[in-house]
Each structure stands twice: as structure tokens, then as C-alpha cells.
Amino acid sequence: MSEEKKSESAKYWQEHLLSWEASAYYEDTQLKAGWWDGLSTFFRGDAMYVRMRAALELLSPHLPGQSVLDVGCGSGRFSFQMLEAGAARVIGVDISQQAVELAEMQRDARGLAGRLEFRVADLVSPVTSLPSVDIVTALGVIEYFDAAAMAAFLKNLNTRYVIFDFPDLRRKNEFPTWQLRQVYIRVNRLPGVYLYSLEQFAQIATPFGLNDLRVVERDGFYYVTNLPA
């Protein structure tokens, strides 16, 4: 796929993902963060670890024997954790070729090629074909989609159940986190971050068969899901 046909968000993350990941998961990575991403670690702390742990706690009862698509998988950290928690098969997709190659190296080193697959994909491209799975997960992904991109993304999914880190409108009330985030976005020329109410998200998602959605708060993070309560 040519650069011109990729979404702006995809172009950005293709270039910056590994630097961001190095700053977000600084405790267990050999990747090196860029200057601004490294600075953000000071303000973010272990928040991304907390987000991932909370998501796994919500997911774990539903994982045994299920197939999962982990969108925005990066170097595969969450994909590996879901496999260890009982998923029968996990497919990770990301826009970053470098991240996917790193994930594949780690997978092969652990001998998990039969249960774990990684692919490069632009999630909002109309020509993207995603596999049919039981559950789709996404951490730190859908907040970069405006309504049109969100619809394109959801249309590409082939699943009954989802659990996404949710860009809830209430995040605007988180001081000074939200204000600092705006500085980071502008300095790094990051494509917009979009917040939604559950009603707004459901209006986009329902035409694509995603019903009974609810927002769950856990450890300071919001997740939107339709997994059985």
C-alpha cells in the first residue's frame, strides 16, 4: 500500500510506534525512546502497565479456548499475555512493519508460531481484510479515529465481541493529564485524539453488529465492551 493511501494516523504510528512503546513500557524493553517520548515517561509513569493489566483482568474469564485479534499489537506484549491467559489463538496486527518483525522474532524464540500470528495492516483502509475471530482487543488505538475512521475500522472487523481501551469524554476532566496530553500531541504533530460518549460510540458501532455495549472503569481507565458481564 502506498504512503498516499494510508490514513494520517497510520503514517504517524508507522514512524513513531517503537519510540512510543519504549517510553510506555520502559521496564521491560530494549527499545530506545526519542527525546519527547522519553520525557513523557516522567509524566506517564507506569500507566500503560496499569492499563494493560486492567484489560487482561477484564478479559481473562472470556479467553480460554477463544481466538483473538489484537489490533495495534506493537511488538506483541499484550498478545503474548492473552495467549498465556488461555486464548487458543491470537493474531496481532499493527501498522508498523518494524514492530511486527520484532513480535515475530519473540514469538519464534518462544516456539509459539502455531498459536500466534502477526500481520501488518492499516486498520481503517477499505481494502484491509481482517480474520474472523471470537474477540477483538485494542489498547490505545481507537482514540486516534474520528467518526469516519472509526466506522471504517469497525466495518473491517469480523467478530461478535470487542473490548477496547475507550477514549471516554470524561478524560477531559483529568487534570493535568489531559492538558499535558494536548502539549504532547501538538509538539509531536500527532493526528487528532478523539473522545466519545458511550452513546456516540454505540451510534457508530451498532450498524456493524456490535450491540449491548457498556463502559467499564477499572484502575482509572475506561474500556468499552460487549463481552458478557
Side-chain angles (χ1 to χ4, degrees), residues 94-188:
D94 202 279
I95 191 61
S96 170
Q97 178 74 46
Q98 290 179 304
V100 166
E101 290 175 354
L102 181 58
E104 289 176 330
M105 289 175 58
Q106 296 179 78
R107 175 203 63 193
D108 294 345
R110 301 185 195 185
L112 295 172
R115 298 174 58 204
L116 188 55
E117 178 185 351
F118 294 102
R119 305 179 183 180
V120 178
D122 184 348
L123 298 168
V124 303
S125 170
V127 298
T128 294
S129 177
L130 296 176
S132 176
V133 294
D134 298 307
I135 305 170
V136 175
T137 66
L139 299 183
V141 175
I142 67 171
E143 63 193 76
Y144 301 106
F145 298 158
D146 62 16
M150 186 78 78
F153 163 63
L154 296 175
K155 184 179 181 180
N156 283 337
L157 300 185
N158 293 290
T159 189
R160 180 179 178 184
Y161 296 114
V162 300
I163 179 168
F164 304 147
D165 170 41
F166 187 54
D168 196 286
L169 273 172
R170 287 172 284 184
R171 288 185 180 179
K172 282 192 175 182
N173 299 324
E174 298 171 352
F175 180 84
T177 307
W178 178 250
Q179 289 71 23
L180 291 171
R181 185 79 182 279
Q182 302 316 299
V183 174
Y184 178 88
I185 290 169
R186 287 168 173 76
V187 169
N188 287 278

Side-chain angles (χ1 to χ4, degrees), residues 8 16 18 22 25 28 37 56 76 82 87 95 99 117 133 142 155 159 174 195:
E8 289 303 311
H16 293 89
L18 292 185
Y25 299 107
D28 57 345
D37 284 318
L56 190 63
M82 288 190 288
I95 191 61
E117 178 185 351
V133 294
I142 67 171
K155 184 179 181 180
T159 189
E174 298 171 352
L195 303 185

